[in-house]
Amino acid sequence: STSTSAARACERCDQSEHPIVSRDTADTRHSFANAAEHIHIIFLCKVSDGTLHSLDTMFKSLASTQAHSDSAWTVAWSHGDHKSRIVTGSVDNAVNIWNWERDTNKIESKHSLAAHRLGVVSVDVNTTGTVAVSSSLDSQIKIWDLEQGNLIKEIDAGPVNAFSVKLNPRDNGATLAASSNNGKITLFDAEKGEKQAQLDTQGDFAMSLSYSPDATKIACASINGTITLFDLTTGKAGSLVHQFTGNHSLPVRSIKFSPDQRSQILFSACDDGSVKVFDTREAAHIGTMTGHASWVLSVDCNAEGTQLATGSSDKTIKLWDLRSRKCLHTASDAHTDQVWSVCYNHDGTSLASVGDDGKLHILDCPTVA
């Protein structure tokens, strides 16, 4: 039957060792000998009420807006459930703050900040959703009041010490970490704007950072494919725990710890088109997910640690089931250019994405039972 053939086709896709493009594109559909046309495979999932729905219709854009006049490179979403604030940063030097109402599916501009002299490469939001941080190619780190849109603190990180920035989740952003193109991570007191310590990856350009949920560790991904793990409980200087080498041979542009504090699982997104899974407790590479046709530029994990989202230079966004490590669905029509950054909301029901087209999209995220 058609359903049986479709299921077998899905199985062949999932078991393939070769990266695949969106299953909706012509070059990845399977031909059937007795069919005059290609069969469009519809993925079904069971939601909480037991009803079967098509992921094709559930993983969709709820709202979009032209967020920036140039490429948007970074997005962050407040994880406080009282307000749905989204922060975006762009090559146009601006940091924009947005409100999104789920009931009306409207994205409204809250503040537009002429924040930096050069492009904004990274933004983050603190745990309670009151403060945001931005970093720029101008080597400035700026801390913002999300409600008022006021500049709270400006930190001059020096000529090379501000690329990816992350606020410490344990102290609600009282401290922050910034990576640099000399391979070092600088820890700052965000309130005083003072440098606390510097961690050395002993490598190249440090492209991305991620704190563990309890902020006892910080991971750093580099342009040479190395991922370095530091222990932050051993004193202000921290200590290098482990380096994952040989798993990626190309730049790792994004990493993310699972929010499940017990698992200490880390995900990486790489220019080799793969997403890799690491157990940081055992210092082991434990899995690989492939599916994008080009660089994977961004990765994020939902609040329950059951689903992963990735954005790619192939212009698509993929959702992954972390239990099976299989691709649930591909959104191929949200962006018209490469997708630089994706970020879940606080409960994992929605996903924000930005890309080279300058647009901000909010997508509905189906949950598989």
Side-chain angles (χ1 to χ4, degrees):
S1 65
T2 298
S3 60
T4 302
S5 299
R8 288 173 180 168
C10 290
E11 184 178 359
R12 288 203 300 274
C13 278
D14 290 335
Q15 292 176 351
S16 172
E17 295 180 357
H18 301 286
I20 57 172
V21 193
S22 163
R23 289 188 173 100
D24 290 331
T25 58
D27 59 345
T28 59
R29 295 173 184 166
H30 291 280
S31 297
F32 295 91
N34 298 325
E37 296 180 351
H38 293 296
I39 295 175
H40 176 70
I41 299 167
I42 298 176
F43 293 86
L44 297 177
C45 71
K46 182 162 57 175
V47 293
S48 57
D49 62 1
T51 306
L52 286 175
H53 293 277
S54 167
L55 282 179
D56 284 343
T57 60
M58 293 178 67
F59 186 45
K60 61 183 180 181
S61 180
L62 298 173
S64 66
T65 188
Q66 189 66 44
H68 292 274
S69 60
D70 208 331
S71 300
W73 280 357
T74 177
V75 62
W77 205 325
S78 66
H79 282 192
D81 58 5
H82 59 296
K83 290 195 178 159
S84 198
R85 295 271 167 75
I86 300 168
V87 182
T88 59
S90 168
V91 180
D92 65 10
N93 307 346
V95 172
N96 290 339
I97 302 170
W98 310 88
N99 287 338
W100 177 63
E101 297 292 338
R102 173 174 277 278
D103 293 340
T104 61
N105 282 335
K106 288 184 178 179
I107 302 173
E108 297 181 346
S109 176
K110 176 74 174 175
H111 300 291
S112 185
L113 311 172
H116 292 273
R117 295 188 299 274
L118 294 173
V120 179
V121 294
S122 181
V123 294
D124 195 22
V125 178
N126 70 343
T127 307
T128 55
T130 57
V131 170
V133 63
S134 61
S135 64
S136 164
L137 296 174
D138 63 11
S139 296
Q140 300 297 302
I141 299 171
K142 297 192 178 185
I143 302 170
W144 308 91
D145 181 324
L146 271 181
E147 179 63 31
Q148 302 298 324
N150 296 330
L151 180 65
I152 299 174
K153 179 69 66 174
E154 183 172 3
I155 302 171
D156 185 353
V160 295
N161 289 326
F163 197 73
S164 173
V165 288
K166 292 295 177 183
L167 293 166
N168 188 320
R170 185 160 187 161
D171 61 19
N172 197 32
T175 57
L176 64 86
S179 71
S180 68
N181 63 12
N182 64 7
K184 292 182 172 59
I185 305 167
T186 305
L187 305 180
F188 290 95
D189 182 320
E191 296 173 350
K192 297 178 181 179
E194 297 175 351
K195 181 163 61 173
Q196 292 182 324
Q198 196 166 65
L199 312 176
D200 191 355
T201 67
Q202 303 171 12
D204 296 325
F205 198 141
M207 304 193 77
S208 180
L209 298 172
S210 182
Y211 278 101
S212 63
D214 59 2
T216 60
K217 295 182 178 67
I218 191 167
C220 176
S222 298
I223 197 170
N224 64 359
T226 300
I227 298 171
T228 307
L229 186 67
F230 292 93
D231 185 346
L232 299 178
T233 64
T234 57
K236 288 188 176 181
S239 64
L240 195 156
V241 176
H242 184 74
Q243 283 193 315
F244 297 96
T245 60
N247 303 110
H248 293 293
S249 59
L250 294 175
V252 177
R253 297 180 185 269
S254 180
I255 52 174
K256 179 70 176 182
F257 267 101
S258 167
D260 180 3
Q261 186 168 307
R262 294 169 300 176
S263 70
Q264 296 287 300
I265 297 297
L266 181 70
F267 305 97
S268 63
C270 181
D271 281 9
D272 61 14
S274 73
V275 176
K276 291 190 182 289
V277 188
F278 299 91
D279 183 338
T280 61
R281 296 170 306 176
E282 302 296 329
H285 168 234
I286 59 174
T288 300
M289 294 178 284
T290 59
H292 283 291
S294 189
W295 301 351
V296 188
L297 303 175
S298 180
V299 61
D300 196 26
C301 189
N302 70 348
E304 294 180 346
T306 58
Q307 192 179 93
L308 205 69
T310 53
S312 169
S313 59
D314 66 11
K315 309 177 188 178
T316 70
I317 302 163
K318 286 183 180 289
L319 289 186
W320 307 82
D321 176 27
L322 289 179
R323 287 166 292 192
S324 64
R325 295 181 190 161
K326 304 296 184 184
C327 179
L328 293 173
H329 188 65
T330 301
S332 56
D333 56 357
H335 291 277
T336 59
D337 211 329
Q338 53 191 3
V339 183
W340 276 106
S341 186
V342 294
C343 183
Y344 280 99
N345 68 339
H346 74 281
D347 62 4
T349 58
S350 302
L351 185 77
S353 65
V354 294
D356 267 349
D357 56 10
K359 289 185 177 180
L360 165 65
H361 278 271
I362 309 297
L363 297 101
D364 196 25
C365 291
T367 301
V368 176

